[in-house]
Amino acid sequence: MPEADLHQLMAGTLDAPRWDDVASRCLTCGNCTMVCPTCFCTTTEDVTDLTGDHAERWRLWDSCFDLDFSYLHAGTVRASPRSRYRQWLTHKLGTWYDQFGSSGCVGCGRCIVWCPVAIDITEEAAALHDWANRPADDGGAPA
Amino acid sequence: MSTVTPPLPYRVAAARPETADAVSLELLPVAAALPRFQPGQFAMVYVFGVGEVPISVSAIRGSGDALVHTVRAVGAVSGALCRLRPGDVVGLRPGDVVGLRGPYGTGWDLDSAAGADVLVIAGGIGLAPLRPVVHHVLERPGEHGRLGVLVGARAAEDLLYRDELRRWRASARVEVTVDRPTPGWQGAVGVVTGLLDRVELREENTCALLCGPEVMIRHTAQALTARGLPAHRIQVSLERNMKCGTGHCGHCQLGPLLLCLDGPVVDCAGSQSLLAVREL
Amino acid sequence: MTGLPALLGGLPETHRDQLLAIARDRSFPGGERLFDEGGAADRFWLIRSGEVALDLYVPGRPPPVVETVGPGQLLGWSWLFPPYRWHLGAQALAPVDAWEFPADQVRAPCTADPELGYRLTLRCAEVIAERLQATRIRLLDLYAPRTAAS
């Protein structure tokens, strides 16, 4: 991980071009969320028998990489892979501090091991750090 | 720690169609009642076997046990809650039982509005979570400054609470505008921000409360800021997917916010920059 | 009306007074037509109370209302640009009280004093931009019944 305040880094790089780069590789398969020891997101499934007299609710693991995860009557808020990868990484390394007062990453490396396209969150964080600290005259805009 | 909060059974005491696709359900506890709801808070409303959806309270009646939820049929669960026409097969009838959990979320911060002018701005179904604010202010004469209610709707027949809007005029400045005038409509035509020119805004002592589609919220907040109202005096009620209502399922995140705990009501100072990020 | 109309609010006091000196008080009963599409745009109004509907002539049906203008708002900007012809029609929905400004008496000092002309034009442009933005938002039909594809 880069030697930086990751909380600040994540909050300040939401529009970084690096997200497009990682989104071009990410399959949004959700493997990282399945193996991450701190991922806690769940969904609920309702079942009923044919008579309708008996109903059950089952809590199931969910993943922020699923399109339905952010579904809001007739539309998915995070429709692009870019936004879903960004949600996963910024939550883990950034907004976790806002919500729980610590990092959401324990450093176990499982998400790196299980990623089918070898995305490494430490590399992504470092790339964001590099972009955030790029020379002032290299704004990425055409001259 | 168990994260499971079982819903309490509530009986539908009355189901009143408000518009072609929205119904107000008055719910009474079958046995034990939930703790008292504050204006702006929501309940998870469970239709047995279909699912659970977050719905803000649109009225808190009696000693607080009777809750009204105004529901617009937009999906499977909200559709199952709304019996829009007498012959409809789906939808709840008086006597039916739903499950209710709550109260959840932040309410409108009405304490900070003490002594100040209260400006309620609603678009479409967004008037539902704001109706308890109007009730709250009208029931406490002298505690606030002037009350303004600005409402935008698609057309006259899509207006919620038409009888009440008329009654509110006795003690509040009520302005209604529609996108599409139908024959006979004698009121304003245009978006709700157009109504802002018509009310005097004491920017140093006004608290604005907004609810509606996110585009409407963004533009109205911008218009209010342009008129000199500080962002922390603008409260907005936001919407994201919610499964649990208790901050455990992770669905309702908007950046750092878990909207079921930190919202749905947030102030603009903290949320304006988040709303500006696409697909956050 | 509530305070000064937005159009005047942004002007320096001298310019504001200069314009208000030109204005005359006008009242229109509900139902009266203020102007019609194609007519000479030789004046404009700042509405103090009441509501004015902007409409278009469509043969065989009552004129559809595209927008209304109410207290605190500017009614009419066709007087700003040649050929000074109204683009829409206007009818008072309810009794209207307004300041009426004869266009030639406003245009003349604007030509003579470019600073006044610039500031007033800028304020008008701001009002026009606000209405354009509002119209675009309305085009989204935000409150329409939702369908899976929308």
Side-chain angles (χ1 to χ4, degrees):
Chain A
M1 287 285 175
E3 292 290 326
D5 180 340
L6 292 175
H7 181 210
Q8 291 294 325
L9 177 65
M10 292 297 131
T13 54
L14 292 171
D15 292 319
R18 181 70 185 187
W19 299 115
D20 291 317
D21 182 282
V22 67
S24 70
R25 290 171 278 135
C26 174
L27 308 176
T28 68
C29 68
N31 262 11
C32 48
T33 61
M34 293 295 115
V35 297
C36 177
T38 67
C39 266
F40 60 82
C41 289
T42 57
T43 186
T44 313
E45 199 172 275
D46 287 86
V47 288
T48 176
D49 65 3
L50 280 175
T51 66
D53 290 335
H54 177 82
E56 292 175 10
R57 311 204 76 211
W58 288 88
R59 189 162 51 162
L60 309 169
W61 288 115
D62 203 2
S63 168
C64 54
F65 282 98
D66 194 288
L67 273 171
D68 274 351
F69 187 85
S70 59
Y71 186 84
L72 198 58
H73 47 75
T76 292
V77 175
R78 290 183 210 110
S80 69
R82 175 186 189 273
S83 66
R84 298 202 294 284
Y85 186 85
R86 185 182 63 186
Q87 168 61 24
W88 141 256
L89 194 69
T90 56
H91 188 213
K92 211 52 64 180
L93 301 182
T95 52
W96 208 282
Y97 285 97
D98 300 290
Q99 294 168 5
F100 308 110
S102 73
S103 170
C105 177
V106 300
C108 68
R110 288 186 204 169
C111 57
I112 303 170
V113 171
W114 285 92
C115 180
V117 295
I119 293 170
D120 178 338
I121 65 164
T122 64
E123 258 175 44
E124 296 312 313
L128 289 168
H129 179 64
D130 290 346
W131 182 77
N133 293 287
R134 67 199 181 283
D137 58 344
D138 179 25
Chain B
M1 185 185 74
S2 168
T3 58
V4 176
T5 319
L8 297 184
Y10 270 66
R11 193 174 303 283
V12 178
R16 173 197 151 111
E18 296 282 356
T19 67
D21 62 358
V23 171
S24 283
L25 299 170
E26 184 168 340
L27 304 173
L28 288 169
V30 171
L34 295 170
R36 193 182 170 87
F37 281 67
Q38 298 302 317
Q41 288 191 304
F42 67 93
M44 294 300 296
V45 183
Y46 176 35
V47 183
F48 293 99
V50 181
E52 214 181 16
V53 282
I55 311 276
S56 297
V57 281
S58 65
I60 304 150
R61 296 220 171 111
S63 58
D65 283 1
L67 300 171
V68 181
H69 287 91
T70 302
V71 187
R72 188 179 181 198
V74 294
V77 183
S78 55
L81 284 164
C82 293
R83 189 157 172 270
L84 299 165
R85 284 160 295 272
D88 280 0
V89 179
V90 295
L92 300 176
R93 295 154 211 267
D96 286 349
V97 173
V98 294
L100 230 58
R101 296 188 290 125
Y104 291 137
T106 53
W108 301 102
D109 177 10
L110 296 170
D111 290 340
S112 79
D117 290 352
V118 176
L119 184 59
V120 164
I121 309 178
I125 193 78
L127 183 56
L130 283 164
R131 182 169 67 158
V133 172
V134 178
H135 293 162
H136 177 98
V137 173
L138 293 179
E139 283 159 13
R140 290 164 182 78
E143 279 188 26
H144 303 273
R146 298 168 306 178
L147 172 65
V149 182
L150 310 183
V151 180
R154 191 179 197 222
E157 59 267 28
D158 296 313
L159 270 173
L160 296 175
Y161 321 132
R162 270 165 272 181
D163 297 343
E164 277 194 66
L165 286 171
R166 263 192 292 277
R167 288 204 298 277
W168 294 346
R169 282 180 206 275
S171 24
R173 176 77 184 260
V174 180
E175 296 282 345
V176 177
T177 185
V178 298
D179 280 352
R180 296 161 182 234
T182 36
W185 175 253
Q186 288 291 303
V189 179
V191 293
V192 76
T193 44
L195 298 177
L196 286 174
D197 286 335
R198 300 158 199 228
V199 295
E200 191 192 351
L201 192 68
R202 295 194 291 207
E203 63 274 5
E204 76 290 350
N205 196 25
T206 296
C207 190
L209 314 174
L210 279 53
C211 189
E214 207 163 292
V215 176
M216 169 264 169
I217 287 182
R218 285 205 313 266
H219 282 261
T220 309
Q222 214 171 34
L224 288 168
T225 314
R227 279 164 177 78
L229 199 65
H232 72 272
R233 298 287 269 172
I234 306 171
Q235 300 176 38
V236 302
S237 181
L238 301 177
E239 192 182 19
R240 283 294 181 270
N241 188 334
M242 285 178 194
K243 293 283 183 194
C244 74
T246 55
H248 290 106
C249 78
H251 281 256
C252 65
Q253 291 179 74
L254 178 68
L257 306 176
L258 286 159
L259 276 183
C260 70
L261 298 178
D262 305 316
V265 178
V266 293
D267 79 36
C268 253
S271 60
Q272 221 159 13
S273 60
L274 299 175
L275 291 180
V277 181
R278 281 179 179 79
E279 296 188 275
L280 190 68
Chain C
M1 222 274 299
T2 51
L4 219 49
L7 187 76
L8 299 180
L11 291 177
E13 212 175 321
T14 47
H15 290 154
R16 200 189 299 158
D17 293 345
Q18 200 177 342
L19 285 171
L20 280 172
I22 302 169
R24 53 193 182 219
D25 284 324
R26 284 297 303 270
S27 296
F28 303 94
E32 180 157 324
R33 289 198 71 78
L34 280 75
F35 53 84
D36 281 301
E37 216 177 317
D42 56 358
R43 65 199 71 190
F44 67 95
W45 298 266
L46 293 177
I47 312 279
R48 293 205 304 271
S49 68
E51 194 82 25
V52 177
L54 298 172
D55 56 22
L56 281 155
Y57 170 68
V58 179
R61 54 178 277 201
V65 174
V66 292
E67 194 173 10
T68 60
V69 176
Q73 295 184 315
L74 165 70
L75 172 64
W77 62 62
S78 299
W79 60 275
L80 254 178
F81 316 103
Y84 311 121
R85 294 277 161 197
W86 295 117
H87 224 79
L88 299 168
Q91 181 170 22
L93 285 176
V96 167
D97 280 314
W99 280 311
E100 183 177 279
F101 298 81
D104 51 355
Q105 290 180 45
V106 174
R107 284 196 303 256
C110 284
T111 311
D113 176 0
E115 197 195 331
L116 169 66
Y118 171 70
R119 285 184 187 277
L120 184 65
T121 309
L122 205 61
R123 289 298 298 130
C124 286
E126 236 177 293
V127 172
I128 295 168
E130 258 179 43
R131 299 233 182 120
L132 173 62
Q133 282 154 6
T135 305
R136 286 171 173 166
I137 298 289
R138 241 171 95 200
L139 283 173
L140 295 177
D141 202 6
L142 287 176
Y143 311 126
R146 309 210 185 231
T147 53
S150 69

